Amino acid sequence: MPTCLIPPHSLSSTPILQTCPPMSPFRFPLPVTSQSFSMKDMDLPKNKSAQAAEHIKKLIEVGHFSTTLPSERQLADQLLVSRNCVRDALEILTNEKVLAPSEPSKRRQILIDSETPSQQKIERCIIITPTPEHKAPSKLLVQVAKLRNLLAPSHVDVSIRSPRAFRRKDPSDELCQIVEENPNTVWVLHQCPESFQLWFQAAQLPTLVFGTIFPSVNLPSIDSDHTATARHAAGQLIRLGHKHISLVIPRTTLAGAQNAEVGIQQAIEQTQHEVSSTILRHDFNVPRLTTALDKVYRSATPPTAFIIQNHHHFLTVYSHLLSLGLKIPQHVSLISMVDDHSFEYLTPTPASYSTQDKLVKSLAASILGIYQKKKLSACIVPQFQPGQSVSNSYQ
């Protein structure tokens, strides 16, 4: 049980050490120990600033803060002390060479290392994604359920967070708060923009990207190879005589969509046939996607084949083309770059690409190995499942 100094209530003027209730004077409790001490063998802090300094130093040692400290205001809120007290505590740690001297408009740099990687224990994995769990797509929920099952023997809790920072130009403040509230956490970024990936990279936190990293980012990532998948799909269609291919991707800043576009272009450059491509970008809005489909079919050279990156947009394209009187695959061929359980109920069966459980298993292994400096990144090439939605082009 933790201990603290209790003001004397007797005639004695010397503070006495008493047992506190299970509530730390700070918002981040220090580890509880069962070892007993006597007054003569304890080096107790003499004042509140010294106590705050000891607490901040311990949080650094256990890896709660890695490279920089939060602002003085945030520390004061977390430790339940005044900013003057925090300022004095930081001065103590600066004199002890724990922190670098303060610089204007910059956070205090940490000069000492935390515990060695082998000593650090992962308590939780938090998946940062733009959609709240109750609205998340079924595919992600299935992956999270499998991840929880894989990490359960290691007692690692898995949760989903969808912070408001996704709707802000600068996500720093809210990301700082979330990170500070969750020590001993491995962070998994799912469908996060470049600003999020760069922030976690700069913070030097144990972070994995469950998706594609941007060229400016050097975080470990677990993803299927969007470039290779799109290139292979386009190559399949070109060999079947298709000369007008359309790629359906979201209008987004996600790196995977950009890589899919690169893959289509590579396939066209590698062929000797005259092949054109159309990129249909949509903003996850079904009416706008169907309007775009109507527009391309009013053009002089409508597509004879579609490659669709997202499984639920595949369902939109599939059903809308049927509503236009087109037969699949007699009039138009369709390939999905991902697989989904809903495809089992469609006829003809969609041609698609599947990674099965390889992505989730690789993610679980990387989470558990993040402190052991094992190989963390994995770029998995999915397996093509022919289905019945692709045929020769008759145009």
Side-chain angles (χ1 to χ4, degrees):
M1 182 170 290
T3 58
C4 70
L5 281 173
I6 304 298
H9 296 286
S10 65
L11 295 177
S12 171
S13 60
T14 304
I16 59 173
L17 189 69
Q18 295 185 355
T19 300
C20 292
M23 174 70 73
S24 169
F26 303 125
R27 193 167 296 176
F28 294 115
L30 292 179
V32 175
T33 176
S34 60
Q35 185 178 358
S36 60
F37 298 94
S38 64
M39 289 294 294
K40 64 180 181 180
D41 59 11
M42 288 193 68
D43 183 18
L44 289 172
K46 299 298 188 298
N47 54 49
K48 193 176 289 187
S49 297
Q51 290 186 41
E54 289 273 330
H55 202 83
I56 294 170
K57 185 176 180 180
K58 184 62 179 177
L59 290 171
I60 293 171
E61 289 172 347
V62 300
H64 189 86
F65 303 130
S66 54
T67 58
T68 61
L69 289 181
S71 67
E72 289 181 1
R73 177 184 58 79
Q74 290 171 319
L75 282 172
D77 290 342
Q78 293 161 9
L79 301 180
L80 301 179
V81 296
S82 68
R83 291 183 65 175
N84 286 337
C85 179
V86 168
R87 202 169 290 121
D88 292 340
L90 298 183
E91 187 63 28
I92 293 171
L93 295 176
T94 302
N95 294 334
E96 294 179 0
K97 307 299 183 184
V98 175
L99 302 176
S102 62
E103 298 181 50
S105 303
K106 289 188 178 181
R107 300 199 173 204
R108 297 296 289 268
Q109 297 289 324
I110 296 171
L111 300 180
I112 64 171
D113 294 329
S114 61
E115 294 175 352
T116 61
S118 60
Q119 293 174 307
Q120 292 184 333
K121 175 175 171 33
I122 304 169
E123 294 181 357
R124 64 187 66 83
C125 163
I126 296 181
I127 300 171
I128 303 293
T129 185
T131 308
E133 187 165 5
H134 67 281
K135 294 182 179 180
S138 59
K139 189 176 185 68
L140 175 62
L141 294 178
V142 170
Q143 290 173 327
V144 171
K146 291 178 180 178
L147 183 63
R148 285 174 174 147
N149 185 56
L150 291 168
L151 296 179
S154 301
H155 307 288
V156 178
D157 178 66
V158 179
S159 62
I160 295 176
R161 292 287 295 270
S162 177
R164 291 183 302 243
F166 279 103
R167 299 182 288 277
R168 295 175 178 169
K169 290 184 179 180
D170 184 4
S172 302
D173 287 345
E174 188 170 1
L175 292 180
C176 278
Q177 182 178 351
I178 293 173
V179 165
E180 289 161 6
E181 292 171 350
N182 295 278
N184 302 324
T185 297
V186 173
W187 302 91
V188 175
L189 308 184
H190 175 258
Q191 292 188 344
C192 290
E194 187 174 16
S195 59
F196 277 59
Q197 294 187 9
L198 287 172
W199 188 92
F200 277 90
Q201 177 175 281
Q204 297 184 5
L205 295 164
T207 306
L208 297 162
V209 175
F210 192 38
T212 306
I213 58 172
F214 290 87
S216 59
V217 177
N218 191 30
L219 290 172
S221 65
I222 311 295
D223 196 19
S224 58
D225 192 331
H226 297 278
T227 302
T229 303
R231 183 173 61 242
H232 183 269
Q236 293 274 84
L237 295 170
I238 291 171
R239 282 191 291 274
L240 291 172
H242 291 273
K243 296 182 180 180
H244 306 291
I245 301 171
S246 182
L247 173 66
V248 180
I249 56 176
R251 184 181 288 108
T252 178
T253 57
L254 298 178
Q258 301 170 15
N259 290 353
E261 194 170 347
V262 170
I264 291 277
Q265 194 58 39
Q266 288 178 352
I268 292 175
E269 291 172 354
Q270 291 170 4
T271 184
Q272 297 178 348
H273 303 287
E274 290 290 331
V275 179
S276 63
S277 65
T278 303
I279 310 297
L280 287 186
R281 294 181 176 86
H282 59 89
D283 51 4
F284 302 95
N285 183 291
V286 172
R288 291 181 183 177
L289 177 55
T290 56
T291 299
L293 291 170
D294 292 338
K295 183 177 180 180
V296 297
Y297 269 96
R298 289 196 297 268
S299 66
T301 55
T304 60
F306 287 86
I307 300 172
I308 302 104
Q309 188 179 34
N310 191 293
H311 69 278
H312 44 267
H313 303 132
F314 179 90
L315 297 175
T316 300
V317 174
Y318 190 102
S319 59
H320 189 68
L321 294 182
L322 291 176
S323 73
L324 295 178
L326 298 169
K327 293 183 179 181
I328 302 171
Q330 291 88 339
H331 298 153
V332 59
S333 294
L334 302 180
I335 298 179
S336 172
M337 289 179 59
V338 294
D339 191 22
D340 188 71
H341 66 88
S342 62
F343 292 175
E344 300 173 10
Y345 305 100
L346 296 180
T347 179
T349 307
S352 63
Y353 290 83
S354 174
T355 58
Q356 298 178 338
D357 290 337
K358 293 179 183 177
L359 282 174
V360 176
K361 289 180 178 178
S362 295
L363 179 60
S366 296
I367 289 169
L368 296 176
I370 199 163
Y371 286 131
Q372 280 71 47
K373 298 183 178 180
K374 296 180 179 179
K375 182 182 177 182
L376 301 178
S377 293
C379 190
I380 298 170
V381 178
Q383 183 177 358
F384 180 60
Q385 300 176 315
Q388 302 167 328
S389 62
V390 177
S391 69
N392 294 338
S393 172
Y394 297 101
Q395 293 188 10

